[in-house]
Amino acid sequence: MKTFFFSLLLLTTLTSATFAQQTAKPTIYNPKADAQQDIRNAVAKAGREGKHVLLQIGGNWCSWCIRFHNLVHADTALNRLLNQNYELLLVNYSPENKNEATLAQLGYPQRFGFPVFLILDGKGNRLHTQNSAYLEEGKGHSPKLVAEFLQQWSPKALDPNSYRPKSGN
């Protein structure tokens, strides 16, 4: 009888541990991060490299945040667009740390829901706030719409020289 109860206890423990591992949420956001310092660092790096900063604001609790993160890292074309044009920074919003002062300085982007995206230039100026709902399609984000968003707010797209007539025309 003791063997039966021990076996049952062992089975329950192993099943619980396996279930916990399978249902553990990804942790792409760091609630303990200093968002303001991280933004300053990202802006400085973007400025040196001729890029913009893409802030992805959300939390580990947000399934759409995780979906977007997975999409732009798994899709080769999106990943290339992102890396060529942006310094990506994930800014946490969760019960542990809502980053209220940072979000106030950024114009309260949380009003659009999560994830929400902000584009900063290499000097830290806010260029755009993007409601992610406009990038969604079905149960995820549309690679086509995300690519258009990344292209339309890239440094080249905002460079006036990109629109000047070529010499000799």
Side-chain angles (χ1 to χ4, degrees):
M1 189 65 128
K2 286 182 183 179
T3 306
F4 172 74
F5 285 117
F6 178 74
S7 297
L8 184 60
L9 178 64
L10 182 61
L11 179 62
T12 303
T13 304
L14 291 174
T15 303
S16 297
T18 302
F19 180 73
Q21 287 176 346
Q22 291 173 347
T23 60
K25 292 190 182 217
T27 54
I28 61 173
Y29 291 88
N30 180 0
K32 296 178 182 175
D34 181 343
Q36 292 191 16
Q37 184 60 52
D38 289 348
I39 291 170
R40 283 191 294 272
N41 292 344
V43 165
K45 185 174 181 192
R48 286 191 306 273
E49 297 178 3
K51 295 181 178 182
H52 286 161
V53 176
L54 174 62
L55 300 179
Q56 179 183 330
I57 302 170
N60 296 319
W61 52 267
C62 170
S63 61
W64 284 92
C65 301
I66 304 301
R67 287 177 188 164
F68 182 85
H69 179 79
N70 291 342
L71 173 68
V72 298
H73 286 85
D75 185 296
T76 307
L78 293 178
N79 195 268
R80 185 174 43 255
L81 269 172
L82 187 65
N83 290 324
Q84 287 174 351
N85 297 292
Y86 299 93
E87 186 63 31
L88 175 64
L89 179 63
L90 279 65
V91 176
N92 184 74
Y93 180 91
S94 67
E96 302 90 8
N97 183 359
K98 293 182 179 181
N99 279 307
E100 291 170 320
T102 301
L103 296 182
Q105 291 173 349
L106 295 170
Y108 304 99
Q110 67 269 38
R111 69 187 183 275
F112 295 112
F114 298 98
V116 60
F117 308 104
L118 275 82
I119 307 290
L120 308 177
D121 67 13
K123 296 178 183 173
N125 299 310
R126 182 168 50 106
L127 302 174
H128 181 66
T129 302
Q130 179 68 44
N131 179 337
S132 68
Y134 298 121
L135 304 176
E136 295 172 8
E137 186 174 77
K139 294 186 177 188
H141 294 91
S142 162
K144 178 181 181 267
L145 296 175
V146 172
E148 288 173 2
F149 164 64
L150 293 174
Q151 289 167 340
Q152 290 169 354
W153 290 99
S154 69
K156 182 180 178 186
L158 298 180
D159 180 359
N161 293 324
S162 298
Y163 304 97
R164 293 200 174 110
K166 305 277 188 234
S167 300
N169 288 336

